[in-house]
Amino acid sequence: MPPLLDGLRILVLEDEFLIAMDVEQLCRDYGAGEVIIARDLAEIDRKSITSQFDAAIVDLMLGGTSTLDFASRLRESGVPFVFASGYSDMDEIKVSFPDIKLVTKPYSGDDLVQAVAAACGRGPLA
């Protein structure tokens, strides 16, 4: 596999345990240096987001709580990210985050990795 995520520190916001574990392994398979899973926004030190992570994979809802405010902070901090979600109402995403890739569940691992790589300026979609 090409090391599209080579050395990146990636935050995975995902509340479904098995999906989070699959995404973690997928990122590692593609060369990620560190993968941190957060199942709740309270688990993240928001003050040091830019120093902790090079990229993020963000589910739109964590335990019934929207992650859009957090995604706005990621964007303001300059941390590249993608949404990975089964959330059905995409209008708000298209309006508020027109330049952010949404990978819809169920997604293929290749689609997710390529979207993250592209968000980081790597890979064929960059």
Side-chain angles (χ1 to χ4, degrees), residues 9-78:
R9 296 165 298 157
I10 300 175
L11 170 64
V12 177
L13 285 180
E14 175 60 64
D15 58 354
E16 293 184 41
F17 180 76
L18 292 177
I19 293 173
M21 298 304 291
D22 284 345
V23 170
E24 176 185 20
Q25 187 59 53
L26 181 68
C27 291
R28 290 186 189 284
D29 288 347
Y30 278 87
E34 183 177 6
V35 181
I36 303 298
I37 297 171
R39 297 180 70 198
D40 186 297
L41 290 173
E43 296 177 29
I44 302 162
D45 180 1
R46 296 176 189 178
K47 295 176 188 141
S48 60
I49 281 279
T50 54
S51 64
Q52 288 182 331
F53 306 107
D54 299 310
I57 299 169
V58 180
D59 192 349
L60 290 169
M61 298 293 286
L62 291 181
T65 302
S66 171
T67 60
L68 293 180
D69 287 342
F70 182 78
S72 292
R73 284 193 288 279
L74 284 174
R75 182 173 53 193
E76 290 165 10
S77 299

